[in-house]
Amino acid sequence: QASRVANECRRHCPTRVVVVGCAMAVVAPRQPPKLRGRRGATEELRTRCLQRLREDRAGLFERLRGIGLADEASDLPGSLRAIARDVLHAEASALTFGAMAGSSADANRRPTPDMQDVQWEEDWDEEDMLALEEELFRTLQQEAVMRASEEAQWLKEFEELQHNEDCELYEQHLLGGVPCPLCGTGRLEQREGELCCSLCMDMRTPLLDPNLSLEDISEMLGLAEVRHRQAGCSIMAVFEIGERCGCSVLCLRCQDCGWAEVAI
């Protein structure tokens, strides 16, 4: 009977039989559920590990401060690989025992070091773990290189800034004279009975005693600062131009303690 049905099908619709036969020949076999579950768990583990690196980046690299990111003598690759292994092991254990806690029998169970080692062997594929560890290591390595470059650039800019400031201070020292108490760059000058700055326009106050020399003025400014410190305040006061009785005067003021004194 089966042979007769097959002959009838070939006689009336041979093309359909061929097509159906081809279609049945190329159907892919289904993946085992266990294999599909392992791949899904491995991808979840990878996501958790990369998220851990992003969220705890500062804490992870703080562990490398002792050896120095740019120290060629240090075992930086070994330290990075150890961090990658620790992160991988911690997240794998969290996934494993998190799943165990989902059952009522293991709800109150807590992982011990021996249990973690056994569960690692049982639930995770060694080849997958090695691949994940290598990926985490490469990610940390790229981050370390970037951080070392940023720190080197910051150090270079800081040294250049410090060098420029030192040069400016040295040039100011070579100028001599009395530095302006307002701008700190110009020099004090006496012009037609007024005390002025060679650079800034804010420093301008009349001199009641035209016989005062620049050395006397420098000493008066220094004594004003000493009196403020002797009053018990450790904050640095600043000089500014104020007004007393309709006349501009040079005052020393402290915003912290409220000190206010006419210096000149």
Side-chain angles (χ1 to χ4, degrees):
Q1 185 179 359
S3 176
R4 184 166 55 83
V5 171
N7 291 333
E8 289 294 328
C9 290
R10 282 195 295 269
R11 184 165 58 85
H12 294 287
C13 48
T15 304
R16 292 183 182 180
V17 172
V18 173
V19 173
V20 172
C22 294
M24 293 177 62
V26 298
V27 172
R30 292 180 178 271
Q31 292 182 348
K34 183 177 180 180
L35 181 59
R36 294 202 308 270
R38 181 172 67 82
R39 289 179 178 176
T42 302
E43 184 60 29
E44 182 180 358
L45 176 60
R46 176 180 179 275
T47 301
R48 288 174 61 109
C49 290
L50 293 177
Q51 183 178 359
R52 170 84 172 271
L53 292 186
R54 289 192 298 268
E55 294 177 351
D56 196 23
R57 183 175 301 171
L60 293 174
F61 276 88
E62 189 65 26
R63 294 172 53 179
L64 301 176
R65 292 295 180 184
I67 62 173
L69 293 178
D71 187 0
E72 295 181 356
S74 63
D75 185 17
L76 180 58
S79 300
L80 292 175
R81 191 170 292 281
I83 293 177
R85 189 176 299 113
D86 290 345
V87 171
L88 181 61
H89 194 281
E91 294 302 324
S93 298
L95 277 177
T96 298
F97 289 97
M100 290 171 55
S103 62
S104 58
D106 296 318
N108 297 321
R109 193 174 181 181
R110 292 293 182 269
T112 64
D114 294 338
M115 291 168 58
Q116 288 180 355
D117 293 338
V118 172
Q119 205 68 33
W120 180 281
E121 297 288 340
E122 293 178 354
D123 289 357
W124 300 101
D125 182 76
E126 182 179 1
E127 184 177 350
D128 291 342
M129 295 300 101
L130 292 176
L132 281 176
E133 180 183 321
E134 184 66 21
E135 181 179 359
L136 296 179
F137 167 72
R138 296 300 179 189
T139 301
L140 288 169
Q141 193 175 44
Q142 293 175 2
E143 180 73 15
V145 171
M146 183 181 67
R147 282 184 173 239
S149 177
E150 291 176 352
E151 290 188 1
Q153 181 64 26
W154 177 87
L155 182 60
K156 179 181 178 181
E157 294 176 356
F158 175 79
E159 290 177 347
E160 291 178 353
L161 179 62
Q162 187 66 42
H163 175 72
N164 294 335
E165 291 178 352
D166 292 342
C167 290
E168 184 177 348
L169 288 175
Y170 182 69
E171 291 174 356
Q172 291 295 323
H173 174 73
L174 294 180
L175 289 177
V178 181
C180 173
L182 299 186
C183 69
T185 304
R187 291 297 184 265
L188 291 180
E189 298 176 349
Q190 292 175 316
R191 301 177 191 168
E192 300 179 355
E194 286 187 334
L195 184 64
C196 307
C197 175
S198 60
L199 291 180
C200 71
M201 301 299 297
D202 295 332
M203 182 63 232
R204 185 177 295 272
T205 182
L207 287 174
L208 301 181
D209 186 357
N211 295 323
L212 282 175
S213 65
L214 291 177
E215 289 76 12
D216 295 332
I217 294 173
S218 176
E219 184 177 357
M220 294 172 64
L221 297 176
L223 289 175
E225 292 178 322
V226 170
R227 287 191 292 271
H228 172 249
R229 289 195 298 268
Q230 290 177 344
C233 183
S234 60
I235 304 300
M236 180 176 293
V238 296
F239 289 98
E240 60 182 34
I241 295 294
E243 186 174 342
R244 295 288 177 86
C245 302
C247 181
S248 62
V249 292
L250 182 62
C251 301
L252 180 68
R253 295 185 182 275
C254 177
Q255 297 293 336
D256 188 74
C257 68
W259 181 272
E261 177 186 2
V262 177
I264 299 176

